[in-house]
Amino acid sequence: MDSKIKTAIVTGGSRGIGRAIALKLGMNGINVVINYMSSSDEAEKTAEEIIGNGGNAIIYKADVRNYAEVDDMLKTTLEKFGTIDILINNAGITRDTLLMKMKDQDWDDVIDINLKGAFNCIKAATRPMMKQREGKIINISSVVGVMGNAGQANYCASKAGLIGLTKSTAKELAARGITCNAVAPGFIETDMTEKLSETIKEQYLKNIPLRRLGTPDDVANVVAFLVSDNANYITGQVFHIDGGLVM
Ligand code: NAP
């Protein structure tokens, strides 16, 4: 058990992996700010589940692309809980298509939400974390940020970018007591992967040594460890949570 009550912001905490992380941190006694963009009902349900189990959570609508909205979210977090100790950059989208067909908008949307969104949140959270001389930042990357994937040039570039952002943040902020790590999930069953065909899912499955798709809890369990005091000496690392897909 960590010594003090901490506060976490989970971007995209309304659904999927972000929701599982928010629930796990909430159950571990951490105050949680559940950020969302459009799924207010789902965000509300996640908060209710945390509160129903004795935890503390609020929801906050902000588009991570927009620095002013992100900065307001940080201010509200500090007003409500007095501290920001943990930032989980989870919000993400896909706009999959082959390079030749990819529109500028497909490229820009994915880079702006997945990569610039994380930059915006890190920038806004860093000042209070530096003052505290303590903080933990986790970026949710992806195995395809390491491997690449046909039809996902925009998404893979954003997820590879997050790995560079993680290592740079880790080096820049280590002296201030702030750690930054990334997790790289493989194929996790959420709304994002729901739209893929059964054939593609079966192809993935053949290449996963542990022979099953991942669950949001598989990711949340590792994130919960990385934001705990047990991970105080770990920074700048990328943790693959993929059933052995990349090794
Ligand atoms: P998901 O179920 O589609 O959920 C995406 C979340 O991101 C939602 O909560 C959504 O909120 C939020 N979001 C989207 N745009 C946003 C914006 N502009 N501002 C704030 N929030 C925004 O996706 P998921 O599968 O859980 O994925 C979560 C993260 O894990 C993503 O970064 C994804 O790239 C990464 N990942 C997923 C997998 C996988 O297999 N599922 C694998 C590797 C990595 P609203 O609904 O409110 O818009």
Side-chain angles (χ1 to χ4, degrees):
M1 196 62 173
D2 294 351
S3 39
K4 71 165 205 184
I5 294 180
K6 295 186 173 163
T7 301
I9 292 178
V10 182
T11 70
S14 51
R15 295 186 285 116
I17 293 172
R19 173 184 153 79
I21 294 171
L23 289 174
K24 178 70 70 183
L25 301 189
M27 305 298 177
N28 286 351
I30 295 168
N31 302 321
V32 188
V33 177
I34 299 161
N35 158 254
Y36 69 99
M37 189 169 74
S38 51
S39 309
S40 58
D41 287 353
E42 283 88 343
E44 197 63 66
K45 271 187 219 147
T46 309
E48 278 167 14
E49 203 170 328
I50 293 172
I51 293 163
N53 280 286
N56 219 344
I58 59 168
I59 67 168
Y60 195 96
K61 178 180 162 74
D63 183 341
V64 293
R65 281 174 289 197
N66 183 320
Y67 184 76
E69 290 183 26
V70 167
D71 201 37
D72 282 345
M73 174 166 69
L74 261 294
K75 285 182 185 134
T76 304
T77 303
L78 291 171
E79 276 162 26
K80 171 84 183 152
F81 296 117
T83 170
I84 169 70
D85 308 281
I86 296 162
L87 168 67
I88 313 292
N89 283 313
N90 165 80
I93 61 160
T94 51
R95 294 277 185 277
D96 296 352
T97 189
L98 296 173
L99 270 169
M100 297 299 288
K101 291 186 183 165
M102 193 173 285
K103 299 191 174 77
D104 284 1
Q105 198 65 50
D106 297 326
W107 176 268
D108 291 344
D109 285 348
V110 169
I111 300 293
D112 281 355
I113 293 177
N114 297 10
L115 184 56
K116 189 167 182 210
F119 162 71
N120 283 340
C121 293
I122 290 172
K123 200 171 162 188
T126 294
R127 193 167 294 126
M129 283 182 175
M130 277 167 52
K131 265 197 206 156
Q132 292 167 196
R133 300 197 71 79
E134 193 179 9
K136 288 197 164 65
I137 300 168
I138 308 293
N139 295 322
I140 311 297
S141 178
S142 168
V143 284
V144 298
V146 178
M147 298 159 61
N149 201 18
Q152 288 197 307
N154 49 0
Y155 183 77
C156 297
S158 74
K159 294 298 177 181
L162 275 178
I163 293 175
L165 176 63
T166 300
K167 294 180 181 181
S168 303
T169 306
K171 286 192 172 170
E172 204 168 308
L173 299 180
R176 309 298 191 116
I178 300 167
T179 64
C180 183
N181 292 290
V183 298
F187 192 113
I188 309 297
E189 289 185 285
T190 66
D191 294 344
M192 187 178 271
T193 46
E194 175 71 26
K195 46 194 165 199
L196 298 173
S197 70
E198 283 308 311
T199 324
I200 291 190
K201 285 186 193 172
E202 273 160 31
Q203 273 168 11
Y204 268 107
L205 209 45
K206 275 191 203 142
N207 293 316
I208 299 172
L210 286 178
R211 288 284 180 267
R212 69 167 174 87
L213 304 178
T215 66
D217 278 342
D218 288 323
V219 181
N221 287 334
V222 178
V223 171
F225 163 71
L226 288 173
V227 302
S228 76
D229 286 350
N230 291 327
N232 282 350
Y233 200 53
I234 301 174
T235 196
Q237 304 304 310
V238 183
F239 293 84
H240 289 257
I241 309 166
D242 59 8
L245 182 61
V246 174
M247 63 170 86

